[in-house]
Amino acid sequence: MSVTFGDDSVADAAAEAARRLVEEGVPRALADGDATLWGAEAQSEAAIRLGWLDLPTTSRELLPQIGELVERARAAGLEHVVLAGMGGSSLAPEVICASADVPLTVLDTTDPGQVRRALADRLDRTIVVVSSKSGSTVETDSHRRIYEQAFRDAGIDPASRIVVVTDPGSPLEQSAREAGYTVVLADPNVGGRYSALTAFGLVPSALAGADVAALLDQAAEARQRLGADDDPGLLLGAAIGAAAASGRDKLLLDDSLSGINGLPDWIEQLIAESTGKQGRGILPVAGSEPNEADDELTAGIDTESGVEVQGPLGAQFLIWEVATAIAGRVLGINPFDQPNVAESKANTTRILEDAGDGPLPTGAPALVDGPVEVYGDVPAHVKDLSGVFTELLKDIPERGYLAILAYLDREAAFDVPVPQEASFEAITDIWAAHDPASLQGLLAIRTDRPVTFGWGPRYLHSTGQYHKGGPQNGVFLQITGVVSGDLEVPGKPYTLGRLQLAQALGDLDALRERGRPAVRLHLTDREAGVRHLLAAAREV
């Protein structure tokens, strides 16, 4: 594991920050689990959130139980592994399985189309991992209820197909045991975004076929260097913390040359949720090219960059966690709480309850351009979608950013028919032409400000904290779409599609209450709407 620098100014600032931290005894104190490092106000929270430091050792105790679970699943012919989880409960397994090239279906969505696709895939050979630290995550609870009903309708006992990962004493543990489900308990002294090497990361990954013992071996080797003079976590944390303190608070993540797939998405939730509070923080930017702006720092995963972080995945997890904790110390921020995450959840609940059986409070569109309705404050001279994009880009303040937030099916583009004889490059182009995520690149080349992209509601469990608790310099473009083929959530008074829209509206309310510029685009025809979005962006 190594941290090196391709930028001399970053290297100098990191060395100076690391020297001060060593003089203050921070690296050794962190390695020893000292909860006082982030101040008196953070001490009580930190005292119950530092278990991740010892996971390379303590998580080995889970391996026999996980091994037995894998053997039973294989013997029963259960080859389709579905993970229902949000935030840290889904992002780490997604990276682990993508990097190991083993299949895992991740449900961190409330989009009915995406859930229907998973339900239609080999239900007779499906095993579902329901992961929730609190045991009350609304998305995961909905997935559990839907799969329970689907299994029963197919004549399958849900107890033979559902595995629950949760904290000891959570409401989910009790209900799961009563239902006869297999339960694997995670370390309660680890927060969700630091949980990659707990049961939340290991159970679904092992079921999918990844070598999780090797991950722990990699992390254990990195753990031995914590507190040492060559501690890579200290150097990385000093670099990103010092850079942010001096104004370089946009962290662009580049993994273009790495064999590790998707790590920037995991780093994004770790850093954004840990540091984005009190009007401060570091904004991680995944999937976007640098603009060479003076508020940017580029970090490469096995890729040459301003800061280059090299090493295997298990070690990367631990070192980035250490770095985030160190950066919190440098910035004077508690890296273990998430004071603003509950707001959007509360707004969602209020919207659903207030609406009852009636329509949700969407309001009237400010304008309609083909299959796209535009909601929000739109200047009178703006008459079409390209004009909306132009105004949003103009609204980005100095040192600000644009966040695109899409409450849609993130796999729908892959359903588009492709010619049988098409090359891989041609197929990729076809998918990109139908993918809402392509909007990030199209708008990014039209501004010198960072553009981020997040799938809703998954971003609520990652960058959502930064959007509301971080610096007041974000502009927000939210995208929703008409729902066809909705799904009932058994035992609840709402459908999945209704919950999805309520979540979007709830977060929009939270942003607008803070004065964040925000526009919602609603696609009255999803496929045509996405094509129209991308075409309009090209006209900006």
Side-chain angles (χ1 to χ4, degrees):
M1 191 76 207
S2 67
V3 175
T4 56
F5 299 95
D7 183 321
D8 289 341
S9 65
V10 175
D12 292 343
E16 175 60 23
R19 182 190 63 77
R20 291 196 304 270
L21 289 163
V22 170
E23 287 179 353
E24 295 165 359
V26 171
R28 187 69 261 164
L30 177 58
D32 293 339
D34 186 347
T36 68
L37 288 173
W38 300 275
E41 291 186 5
Q43 184 173 348
S44 61
E45 181 80 22
I48 58 171
R49 289 291 178 259
L50 289 170
W52 53 272
L53 288 162
D54 298 319
L55 291 174
T57 299
T58 58
S59 281
R60 291 186 184 280
E61 299 172 5
L62 293 170
L63 294 181
Q65 183 184 9
I66 292 174
E68 291 175 6
L69 182 59
V70 171
E71 288 180 11
R72 291 202 307 269
R74 296 290 181 273
L78 304 180
E79 61 182 21
H80 181 215
V81 183
V82 175
L83 170 60
M86 301 299 296
S89 297
S90 64
L91 290 166
E94 192 168 64
V95 175
I96 294 168
C97 293
S99 300
D101 196 24
V102 294
L104 176 69
T105 297
V106 176
L107 291 181
D108 53 3
T109 181
T110 44
D111 188 86
Q114 197 168 330
V115 175
R116 279 188 178 279
R117 185 182 299 103
L119 285 168
D121 184 5
R122 296 166 289 167
L123 185 67
D124 60 327
R125 287 171 283 164
T126 292
I127 183 168
V128 179
V129 181
V130 176
S131 290
S132 173
K133 181 176 176 63
S134 68
S136 59
T137 309
V138 65
E139 300 93 341
T140 306
D141 178 68
S142 298
H143 300 147
R144 175 185 61 80
R145 291 168 179 270
I146 288 169
Y147 263 97
E148 285 174 341
Q149 187 65 56
F151 285 137
R152 291 192 188 103
D153 290 348
I156 298 170
D157 180 5
S160 68
R161 299 301 186 88
I162 293 178
V163 176
V164 168
V165 181
T166 189
D167 275 4
S170 77
L172 182 57
E173 182 195 1
Q174 180 179 351
S175 63
R177 293 196 187 281
E178 291 172 354
Y181 299 157
T182 298
V183 176
V184 183
L185 296 178
D187 188 332
N189 294 314
V190 179
R193 56 189 177 274
Y194 292 81
S195 66
L197 298 175
T198 69
F200 290 109
L202 303 183
V203 170
S205 301
L207 282 168
D211 184 350
V212 297
L215 287 174
L216 296 178
D217 291 341
Q218 296 159 6
E221 186 174 346
R223 177 68 171 89
Q224 293 176 2
R225 295 171 63 184
L226 264 61
D229 292 341
D230 64 345
D231 181 345
L234 167 67
L235 199 56
L236 178 59
I240 62 178
S246 68
R248 298 180 71 173
D249 59 355
K250 313 300 187 301
L251 182 66
L252 275 68
L253 301 165
D254 181 5
D255 65 343
S256 57
L257 300 180
S258 178
I260 299 173
N261 294 321
L263 190 61
D265 286 343
W266 177 83
I267 296 171
E268 181 182 58
Q269 61 93 32
L270 173 69
I271 291 181
E273 197 167 55
S274 296
T275 70
K277 56 200 73 168
Q278 302 166 19
R280 289 173 284 167
I282 299 167
L283 176 68
V285 182
S288 188
E289 296 293 325
N291 293 303
E292 309 300 332
D294 63 3
D295 61 344
E296 291 181 353
L297 172 67
T298 304
I301 313 301
D302 300 326
T303 303
E304 288 187 8
S305 217
V307 182
E308 183 176 345
V309 187
Q310 291 186 317
L313 180 55
Q316 291 271 1
F317 281 141
L318 184 64
I319 293 311
W320 279 100
E321 288 166 348
V322 171
T324 301
I326 292 288
R329 162 81 182 205
V330 172
L331 295 173
I333 289 171
N334 175 5
F336 304 113
D337 67 348
Q338 48 279 330
N340 306 108
V341 164
E343 289 180 48
S344 295
K345 298 178 184 178
N347 285 349
T348 297
T349 300
R350 171 183 51 78
I351 287 169
L352 288 170
E353 289 178 349
D354 289 351
D357 295 332
L360 297 182
T362 57
L367 66 90
V368 177
D369 185 352
V372 181
E373 297 174 341
V374 181
Y375 294 81
D377 295 329
V378 177
H381 68 273
V382 173
K383 304 300 181 185
D384 57 21
L385 198 51
S386 61
V388 172
F389 290 151
T390 299
E391 292 300 316
L392 282 172
L393 294 174
K394 286 181 181 177
D395 283 344
I396 304 174
E398 184 180 2
R399 312 186 77 80
Y401 66 100
L402 171 65
I404 304 171
L405 312 170
Y407 285 79
L408 300 169
D409 179 349
R410 69 174 171 136
E411 297 176 355
F414 304 124
D415 290 339
V416 175
V418 296
Q420 190 171 1
E421 70 283 358
S423 66
F424 177 75
E425 290 77 11
I427 293 172
T428 301
D429 289 343
I430 291 170
W431 286 340
H434 294 82
D435 189 351
S438 297
L439 190 60
Q440 179 185 21
L442 291 173
L443 293 182
I445 62 175
R446 288 159 172 81
T447 177
D448 60 359
R449 297 283 78 222
V451 177
T452 67
F453 185 93
W455 294 102
R458 109 182 200 156
Y459 77 84
L460 293 176
H461 299 258
S462 59
T463 53
Q465 167 62 43
Y466 182 95
H467 294 161
K468 292 174 279 290
Q472 179 88 353
N473 60 8
V475 174
F476 300 90
L477 174 62
Q478 189 186 86
I479 308 171
T480 58
V482 66
V483 169
S484 58
D486 207 347
L487 271 173
E488 297 288 336
V489 179
K492 291 295 182 179
Y494 47 75
T495 63
L496 213 54
R498 188 173 177 85
L499 173 60
Q500 180 185 42
L501 181 56
Q503 288 178 309
L505 298 176
D507 193 48
L508 204 58
D509 283 352
L511 294 170
R512 287 173 173 165
E513 286 167 5
R514 284 173 164 71
R516 266 59 165 170
V519 168
R520 180 171 72 93
L521 307 180
H522 185 71
L523 313 183
T524 54
D525 178 316
R526 288 199 180 197
E527 185 176 342
V530 169
R531 293 198 306 271
H532 195 61
L533 290 178
L534 302 184
R538 295 186 187 95
E539 296 174 1
V540 174

